[in-house]
Amino acid sequence: MKRILTYENELDYDSIYDWLREKMRFPRSIVAALRSGEQDYRVNGKKPVLWQPLPAGSRIQIILEDRKSSAFAPVNLPLNIIYEDEDILLIDKPAGMPSHPSMNHQKDTLANAVLYYYQKQGIPFVFRIANRLDMDTSGLVAVSKNSLAAARVKQMIDKRQIHREYLCIVEGSFSADSSLAKRDFAEMRYDADGQMIGGRIWAPISRREGSVLERRVNASDGQTALTDFEIIQEGAKYSLLRVWLGTGRTHQIRVHMNYLGHPLPADYLYHPVYQDISRQPLHSAKLRFPHPVSGRQMCFESRLPTDMRHLLDNFHS
């Protein structure tokens, strides 16, 4: 994938390096790649050293190029692309598709599908996923199409500038659960009439000893984890929640809801009960973030998938 960014500076700068870092705020990794020759640049059609002065009115081109693709097999798989430009790709991932190849999933992942999509166009592509979803979680996934977009997305994640909203269905009714008030790392929220409308969970999360995948709430050495949720709909059997992540710990929503005593059904790690659905009902429904290159505010939404809509029919059963 090749991306050429063209700029014209309005002021004099002591060096091209200063312009890159102070004016354009290019990430250090990109400036290092330009300096080493891994990526290319031109100033008024020539390639001066980065320490050369940059006069006002100069025309600067930053040339970013992936010459080799990720070392995954391109595979012709369904790919629901909802947005694409020169820097980012937004995909609505189905449940059951891993985001990234692993030992047991070499050719059935989102990465395989994306690489095939670009191979058909004759474009080398490095798969740089911004928000990896668990295999059984459906919904919006963002992929960076070049090294600058990827570096800026990482910065935005670190600064919590990427806002993620999930929809999930959990077991039981919150309003009927008096034990919620006794949770050490959670606080419920109520409206003016005393009706429970949501809550916040800040229970620390760590890896469970002896397991590669499983996480648990661990007050002694867990990492900070923050989840906010709103109750959208309640029934005796299930509740539908809107969830926002303040942090991005592995399995965070699943672990936090299990901690509250309202696990997601059909969660093979934390609550393997498959009575009404075959996978954990968790959906990445909304992503909002500034565009990593232009800075323009972007917002994408995805509808609740069919299996989760069908599960809503069991709310009052």
Side-chain angles (χ1 to χ4, degrees):
M1 180 71 67
K2 188 173 185 177
R3 176 74 160 105
I4 300 177
L5 300 155
T6 303
Y7 306 94
E8 185 172 313
N9 63 308
E10 298 176 352
L11 302 174
D12 292 330
Y13 282 86
D14 290 341
S15 69
I16 301 165
Y17 179 91
D18 289 342
W19 175 82
L20 287 167
R21 292 292 293 154
E22 295 175 12
K23 168 64 177 176
M24 303 307 297
R25 299 187 181 277
F26 270 60
R28 291 184 184 276
S29 60
I30 300 301
V31 176
L34 294 171
R35 185 180 179 185
S36 69
E38 180 184 344
Q39 300 293 353
D40 206 359
Y41 65 95
R42 295 288 184 273
V43 178
N44 299 323
K46 299 179 181 179
K47 189 175 181 180
V49 296
L50 288 181
W51 311 116
Q52 180 172 311
L54 184 67
S58 297
R59 185 173 184 267
I60 308 108
Q61 286 185 311
I62 307 298
I63 305 159
L64 306 173
E65 186 172 9
D66 294 322
R67 295 172 179 84
K68 294 182 179 180
S69 298
S70 293
F72 311 134
V75 182
N76 186 8
L77 299 170
L79 192 62
N80 184 11
I81 295 173
I82 63 171
Y83 177 83
E84 181 178 12
D85 63 22
E86 291 183 289
D87 302 296
I88 58 173
L89 180 71
L90 267 291
I91 300 164
D92 202 340
K93 185 187 85 67
M97 174 182 272
S99 294
H100 204 274
S102 63
M103 184 179 297
N104 297 321
H105 296 277
Q106 294 290 324
K107 296 183 177 181
D108 60 347
T109 75
L110 188 66
N112 300 121
V114 170
L115 287 173
Y116 180 84
Y117 171 71
Y118 286 109
Q119 184 190 64
K120 285 196 305 180
Q121 303 172 56
I123 301 173
F125 192 82
V126 174
F127 186 70
R128 304 176 176 96
I129 193 167
N131 61 313
R132 184 185 300 188
L133 299 180
D134 298 332
M135 181 174 71
D136 286 337
T137 300
S138 56
L140 296 174
V141 173
V143 175
S144 301
K145 293 177 62 176
N146 56 64
S147 55
L148 175 59
R152 287 233 170 105
V153 164
K154 184 181 184 305
Q155 289 179 332
M156 289 190 288
I157 290 172
D158 292 341
K159 295 177 181 178
R160 299 183 183 178
Q161 294 175 328
I162 297 181
H163 302 281
R164 295 163 288 175
E165 182 178 303
Y166 291 80
L167 293 172
C168 71
I169 297 174
V170 300
E171 290 196 350
S173 167
F174 282 75
S175 299
D177 186 353
S178 60
S179 69
L180 290 172
K182 302 175 184 178
R183 300 293 175 188
D184 291 334
F185 302 104
E187 180 180 14
M188 299 303 109
R189 294 174 175 146
Y190 302 84
D191 63 17
D193 298 321
Q195 180 69 33
M196 188 183 296
I197 57 173
R200 167 169 285 190
I201 313 160
W202 58 91
I205 293 175
S206 69
R207 188 192 304 271
R208 184 177 292 278
E209 284 186 32
S211 175
V212 175
L213 292 177
E214 194 173 353
R215 266 60 177 177
R216 62 170 182 160
V217 168
N218 186 342
S220 60
D221 60 1
Q223 292 181 300
T224 301
L226 179 65
T227 304
D228 287 287
F229 68 94
E230 174 191 3
I231 301 168
I232 301 174
Q233 188 177 346
E234 272 190 299
K237 192 170 186 179
Y238 297 118
S239 293
L240 174 65
L241 309 179
R242 180 177 288 113
V243 182
W244 298 271
L245 294 179
T247 53
R249 305 303 175 201
T250 300
H251 302 169
Q252 180 171 319
I253 294 174
R254 297 158 62 189
V255 171
H256 272 177
M257 291 304 153
N258 195 48
Y259 168 74
L260 287 187
H262 293 270
L264 281 68
D267 185 333
Y268 75 99
L269 272 179
Y270 305 106
H271 192 64
V273 176
Y274 300 93
Q275 182 178 350
D276 297 314
I277 193 169
S278 61
R279 59 101 177 186
Q280 64 209 22
L282 179 59
H283 182 66
S284 174
K286 188 173 183 178
L287 282 177
R288 179 168 55 85
F289 54 91
H291 190 281
V293 176
S294 72
R296 179 167 60 95
Q297 282 294 325
M298 313 288 286
C299 187
F300 302 94
E301 296 189 47
S302 170
R303 291 186 62 216
L304 201 66
T306 302
D307 60 346
M308 289 181 66
R309 293 201 302 270
H310 285 169
L311 187 57
L312 301 186
D313 296 337
N314 291 296
F315 263 32
H316 300 287
S317 61

